[in-house]
Amino acid sequence: QVQLQESGPGLVKPSETLSLTCSVSGGSMSSSYWSWIRQTPGKGLEWIGYIYYSGSANYNPSLRSRVTISVDRSKNQFSLKVRSVTAADTAVYFCARDTGTNWFDPWGQGTLVIVSS
Amino acid sequence: QSVLTQPPSVSGAPGQRVTISCTGSSSNIGAGYDVHWYQQLPGTAPKLLIHGNSNRPSGVPDRFSGSKSGTSASLAITGLQAEDEADYYCQSYDNSLRVRVFGAGTKVTVL
């Protein structure tokens, strides 16, 4: 079955860019949507955005100005970039397969990113 | 403050039945959008438990059931087991915010 694994730096300085990659194994990325979701103690679970395997993306309006999600079909990976980060971007970041309009399944194990100088 | 409201915690003895409510509004659950439920065990990622209001993915015990009515949805766990101790989240779509939204989560404690 499909499995997802996040990777990237666990510490990012304020005002810099957070970059994470999600590697998809056990299946093809074709004909699916792929999302990033983050979790904080204060705001809970927050959908960041998704990318379709063809490359079209959709973002949470609250984050759209700072976020880019891209896909590398040759590597079976998709990536997240969050620009101009602040402490409020400190969170556990999950990648997940997305039905597009409904639920998320499965999820990666998550990776903690701390924004601090 | 979450768009979908869940009780912070519920508890029950082994074997009992507990329910978790998820209350929304006319821009999400009340607008007819489906509700989905996730279970998050300590230190792990959320796992899909119920999709489309009441559908269990393969492998999810039939002790878990979901329902939806009006602007609310519920998750029921019957025959509560120690392994059910976890956080549970509801999720839907909000057409005012134009995003998928989650509840703040409910911690289930097995006494």
Side-chain angles (χ1 to χ4, degrees):
Chain A
Q1 68 276 24
V2 171
Q3 293 183 306
L4 297 92
Q5 176 70 58
E6 305 88 350
S7 60
L11 181 64
V12 181
K13 290 182 168 52
S15 81
E16 295 190 344
T17 296
L18 178 161
S19 296
L20 295 174
T21 295
C22 182
S23 299
V24 180
S25 61
S28 170
M29 295 187 70
S30 298
S31 302
S32 288
Y33 295 84
W34 304 92
S35 266
W36 287 97
I37 299 158
R38 66 184 183 181
Q39 185 173 32
T40 62
K43 292 189 69 175
L45 290 161
E46 180 179 34
W47 174 75
I48 299 170
Y50 71 58
I51 191 159
Y52 191 52
Y53 82 103
S54 63
S56 62
N58 186 25
Y59 304 115
N60 187 323
S62 69
L63 296 167
R64 179 176 290 131
S65 64
R66 298 193 296 126
V67 170
T68 300
I69 299 177
S70 58
V71 62
D72 186 335
R73 289 178 291 277
S74 67
K75 294 183 178 178
N76 248 31
Q77 293 177 336
F78 62 106
S79 299
L80 170 71
K81 291 189 186 298
V82 182
R83 296 175 290 278
S84 305
V85 297
T86 68
D89 295 307
T90 293
V92 176
Y93 286 77
F94 297 99
C95 58
R97 185 173 57 184
D98 184 346
T99 54
T101 58
N102 279 297
W103 62 90
F104 307 97
D105 179 58
W107 298 52
Q109 66 182 30
T111 186
L112 173 62
V113 178
I114 297 172
V115 178
S116 175
S117 56
Chain B
Q1 187 169 341
S2 298
V3 172
L4 304 179
T5 301
Q6 298 181 235
S9 63
V10 299
S11 62
Q16 284 191 331
R17 179 180 188 269
V18 296
T19 62
I20 301 170
S21 60
C22 176
T23 302
S25 67
S26 59
S27 62
N28 41 68
I29 300 175
Y33 296 104
D34 286 342
V35 178
H36 321 292
W37 292 90
Y38 302 87
Q39 176 193 59
Q40 187 173 30
L41 298 170
T44 70
K47 169 194 165 187
L48 182 67
L49 203 61
I50 297 286
H51 66 84
N53 306 314
S54 59
N55 301 295
R56 283 187 310 276
S58 172
V60 173
D62 59 7
R63 302 184 291 105
F64 296 92
S65 62
S67 63
K68 173 189 157 184
S69 178
T71 58
S72 295
S74 290
L75 173 72
I77 310 174
T78 56
L80 195 63
Q81 299 183 4
E83 67 203 52
D84 299 332
E85 205 162 82
D87 294 324
Y88 293 81
Y89 296 89
C90 60
Q91 177 243 309
S92 187
Y93 178 82
D94 189 283
N95 62 22
S96 175
L97 298 172
R98 292 180 288 128
V99 294
R100 263 79 58 85
V101 291
F102 293 88
T106 298
K107 183 174 183 61
V108 170
T109 301
V110 181
L111 302 172

